[in-house]
Amino acid sequence: MNEKQKKGLILAAVIFVVVGVISVVTNTISSKVSSSEGNASGSGLNSFMEEVYGGNSAVLADMPVGKDFIAVVPIEGTIQASPETTSMFETTVGYDHDMLMEYVDKLMKNDSNKGMILRMDTPGGTVYEADELYLKIKEYKEKTGRPIWVYMESYCCSGGVYIASVADEQYANRITTTGSIGVIMSTYDMSGLYEKLGIKEVNIVSAKNKDMGSAGKPMTKEQLAIYQSVVDEYYQRFVEIVAEGRNMTVDEVKKLADGRIYTATQAVENGLIDGIKTSEEFDAYVKEKSGVSNFYEPNTSGNYFASLFGSIAETKEKSEAEVLVDLMNNLGSGVPMYYAEPIGE
C-alpha cells in the first residue's frame, strides 16, 4: 500500500467517525425535541441543552473536596429571580439567584469548606430574592458554625446590606457606596397621557382595589395607604435584620435608615461596617484569621455557545413590542424592592 492510499484510508476513517458522531447527536436531539411536542415552552429541548452544557451543576463541579477552602460567594448586579428557561443559547449575566442558592446548599454538605466570603457589588433588588438568599446563608451559618465575612466592592446598597447583615464581619473598599436601607415600590400614573392619546383603560374587577397600581388610572388615597402598609412591613423587617446583624437597637438603625447612601468612612463611623480594606488586605486578613489560604469561587462566565449566541442576539434590532416592554419594565413594576438605583443608569 502506497502513501497516497494510506492517507485515503485515514481520511475515510475520520469521515466515518465524524458522520457517526453527528448521527448520534442528531438522533438524540430529535428524540428530545419529540418528547417536548405539545409543550409550548420546549422544556424537552431546554432540558437536553441543560444536559449538554451542564447548568449550575457544571459550574460548581470543580468545588474542592478533601482540601480546606474558603468559599467566595459573588453577589453581583441586581438581586432578582433567575431566568425561567435555560438553554445552550442563553446565559445569565451578573446575579444568578438559582446558582447561588444551590452553591450554598452544596457548601453546607462539604466538610472541606471552612468559611464563606460574600463579595458584594450590588445595588440591591427584589424583596423576595434578597430575603430568600439571606435565609439560606443564615441556615448555612446556623448548621455549620463556620465564619462569614463580607467584602463590599464598588457598592453594596439596600438588598445587599440586607444580605450582608448575616455576616460575622463586614469590610469595604474606601470608595464603596453602601446604605440605602429602605424599601421602594414604583409605578406610574399615565392617565394624563392616555387622555391626550384618546385611550381609556377599562378594567372589569371583582372589587374596587383589584386594579390598584394600574398605569391608566390615578391611585386613590385608600390604595396609596394599602401600598404604604406593605412597604412599612418590609421596612420594619429590614431594620430588625440590620439591628441584629450589627448589634444595634432598632431605634439606632432607624436613625440611619432613611434611604440615604453612605461612604465607607461614614459607614464605619455609624457602625454599619467593621472597617476599610483593599481587596488584597481583606484577602490576607481572612487567610490569617481562618488559617486557610485556598479560596474557591465558581466560574460564572457562562458557556461558549451561550456567549456566542447571546452576543448575536444583542445585535438584533428590537421590535416595537420589545421596546414597549422594556419601557414598562423601566417605568416600574409595582414589585417591592430593597434597591438603590446607581446614578447614571
Side-chain angles (χ1 to χ4, degrees), residues 63-285:
M63 185 185 296
V65 176
K67 181 180 180 181
D68 290 353
F69 71 96
I70 300 295
V72 178
V73 180
I75 302 177
E76 303 169 340
T78 300
I79 299 164
Q80 58 189 333
S82 298
E84 291 184 4
T85 59
T86 306
S87 75
M88 186 173 72
F89 309 109
E90 296 176 301
T91 185
T92 301
V93 178
Y95 183 83
D96 187 340
H97 188 71
D98 291 344
M99 188 278 290
L100 292 178
M101 294 290 287
E102 183 174 337
Y103 184 18
V104 178
D105 274 331
K106 287 183 178 294
L107 290 173
M108 282 190 274
K109 300 172 184 176
N110 191 326
D111 293 334
S112 297
N113 172 244
K114 301 303 177 183
M116 176 189 293
I117 294 171
L118 305 179
R119 200 167 283 275
M120 318 287 296
D121 195 2
T122 175
T126 57
V127 165
Y128 182 85
E129 277 72 28
D131 187 61
E132 188 174 45
L133 184 58
Y134 166 82
L135 291 174
K136 178 60 67 176
I137 297 171
K138 188 176 182 181
E139 180 187 357
Y140 164 93
K141 183 177 183 179
E142 292 171 348
K143 284 188 174 180
T144 68
R146 301 166 195 162
I148 301 174
W149 296 271
V150 159
Y151 187 71
M152 302 176 181
E153 297 183 332
S154 60
Y155 54 108
C156 176
C157 294
S158 207
V161 175
Y162 189 104
I163 294 170
S165 297
V166 75
D168 299 292
E169 297 180 63
Q170 299 182 43
Y171 295 91
N173 188 279
R174 66 180 185 177
I175 58 170
T176 294
T177 299
T178 186
S180 188
I181 299 170
V183 187
I184 183 172
M185 292 178 72
S186 297
T187 185
Y188 277 73
D189 176 7
M190 302 180 71
S191 56
L193 175 62
Y194 282 15
E195 186 176 350
K196 287 183 179 181
L197 296 175
I199 300 171
K200 185 175 182 180
E201 181 174 321
V202 179
N203 297 321
I204 312 302
V205 297
S206 57
K208 61 181 179 179
N209 290 319
K210 184 59 180 174
D211 61 349
M212 67 181 193
S214 169
K217 294 182 178 181
M219 269 197 222
T220 66
K221 289 183 179 180
E222 180 185 13
Q223 290 168 350
L224 284 170
I226 291 170
Y227 276 126
Q228 187 63 54
S229 70
V230 174
V231 168
D232 291 345
E233 180 180 329
Y234 292 153
Y235 172 74
Q236 182 66 24
R237 181 177 296 125
F238 195 166
V239 169
E240 290 171 355
I241 282 174
V242 174
E244 180 184 357
R246 298 306 303 165
N247 294 316
M248 300 168 72
T249 67
V250 168
D251 288 340
E252 286 173 333
V253 175
K254 282 188 174 180
K255 290 178 182 178
L256 304 172
D258 61 1
R260 75 180 65 189
I261 58 173
Y262 294 96
T263 66
T265 301
Q266 292 168 344
V268 172
E269 291 171 351
N270 286 294
L272 292 175
I273 62 174
D274 296 293
I276 297 173
K277 296 180 184 292
T278 66
S279 180
E280 292 78 12
E281 289 170 344
F282 173 77
D283 288 349
Y285 173 76

Side-chain angles (χ1 to χ4, degrees), residues 89-93 306-318 322 326:
F89 309 109
E90 296 176 301
T91 185
T92 301
V93 178
S307 301
L308 174 63
F309 288 98
S311 299
I312 293 173
E314 287 174 1
T315 62
K316 179 179 164 242
E317 186 175 349
K318 290 185 178 180
E322 289 172 323
D326 287 346

